[in-house]
Amino acid sequence: MSLFPTEMESERLRYERLHPDEFDAYELYEYVHAGAPGIDEITKYVTWDPHQHPKEASDWVEHCGEQFEDGAAATYALRPTEGDRADELAGFAGIHPDWDRRLAVFGAWLRKPFWGRGYSGERAARMLELAFDRLDLEVVTVAHDPANEKSRRAIEKYIERFGGQKEGRIRNDIIIDDEPRDSIRYSISRAEWERNRD
C-alpha cells in the first residue's frame, strides 16, 4: 500500500498524483511554459519559474514521482469534475510532510481561469483530511508572499473555517527571482481541525 493515495476526490475536484506512470508532462508544459496565458500572474509570487523547455516539465514530473514513491511528498493535479471546464487541468496541490516534527506544509497553485471558484478552500479541506486522518500528522502549515492578496484571502478563509491561526511573518523565508522574500505563515492543528470539520 502506498503511503499517499494515488487518486482522491472532493465535491468538485479530482486529485491525480503527479507521477510519470500516469501524467503526461507535455500537458504540464502547455500551461506553465514561458508565454503560456496567465503564466506571469501565476508565477509572480511562487518559488518556481515558467518552464523554458518540455524537458523541465518532464524532470519535474519525474521528481514528483520519486518523492511520491519515497513517501517524502505528494503532488496532485487538480481537475474539476463538473462545469464547462470539467477534466481540464486546473492546477496542482502538494503536501510535504516533515515526519520528525509531525507536520506538513501545503502548497498549491491554480491556473487563472480557475481563480475565484472556491477551489483553494475545497482543496485545503481534502488535504487536511489526508494529513490528519491518513498520515496521522499533528499540524499543517501554509504560507504566502505578503504581497499576494489573492492567496491571503483564500488562505485566511479556510484557516478561519478550520479554527487555525496566523503564525506571523517569517523573514527571508522564500526565494523568488533569486531574491529572499518574507512569507506570512498560518497553521491548523489536528485538534482545531477536529473541532471544526464538517
Side-chain angles (χ1 to χ4, degrees):
M1 180 180 105
S2 176
L3 185 58
F4 304 106
T6 56
E7 288 187 342
M8 301 186 295
E9 287 196 1
S10 57
E11 184 181 351
R12 299 172 298 152
L13 292 171
R14 188 172 69 252
Y15 306 70
E16 304 167 354
R17 72 173 176 164
L18 196 60
H19 192 285
D21 288 352
E22 288 109 10
F23 193 86
D24 178 5
Y26 198 80
E27 181 184 16
L28 170 66
Y29 178 71
E30 260 187 282
Y31 296 115
V32 302
H33 71 273
I39 194 64
D40 291 339
E41 288 180 80
I42 292 167
T43 58
K44 184 174 182 179
Y45 301 111
V46 298
T47 57
W48 55 273
D49 296 320
H51 294 177
Q52 301 299 317
H53 190 276
K55 184 169 185 332
E56 287 181 58
S58 179
D59 289 346
W60 192 59
V61 172
E62 192 75 36
H63 172 71
C64 290
E66 289 170 4
Q67 287 186 317
F68 189 96
E69 297 295 340
D70 293 342
T75 302
Y76 294 95
L78 304 177
R79 296 183 191 278
T81 56
E82 58 187 43
D84 60 327
R85 292 182 176 267
D87 298 320
E88 190 174 330
L89 180 65
F92 292 91
I95 181 168
H96 303 267
D98 181 329
W99 300 109
D100 292 336
R101 294 192 292 161
R102 300 205 43 183
L103 69 78
V105 178
F106 281 0
W109 63 269
L110 294 168
R111 292 179 46 230
K112 193 172 177 183
F114 299 93
W115 292 359
R117 298 183 182 209
Y119 289 152
S120 179
E122 181 176 334
R123 176 259 337 158
R126 184 64 185 90
M127 298 295 274
L128 285 163
E129 187 179 340
L130 170 61
F132 296 132
D133 278 351
R134 181 166 175 148
L135 302 179
D136 195 32
L137 298 169
E138 294 178 358
V139 176
V140 162
T141 69
V142 63
H144 67 82
D145 183 300
N148 190 342
E149 280 297 308
K150 287 182 176 60
S151 284
R152 181 191 62 77
R153 286 194 301 269
I155 290 169
E156 287 182 351
K157 198 174 206 179
Y158 68 76
I159 291 295
E160 181 178 338
R161 175 183 169 196
F162 291 109
Q165 64 184 30
K166 181 178 179 178
E167 302 286 353
R169 182 181 288 254
I170 312 297
R171 289 187 251 187
N172 284 19
D173 185 45
I174 56 178
I175 304 291
I176 297 178
D177 293 330
D178 297 322
E179 288 295 323
R181 303 269 286 270
D182 294 355
S183 73
I184 306 297
R185 183 173 130 153
Y186 305 78
S187 67
I188 302 171
S189 71
R190 178 203 291 273
E192 290 163 343
W193 175 74
E194 285 176 346
R195 284 195 299 270
N196 293 281
R197 68 187 298 185
D198 299 334

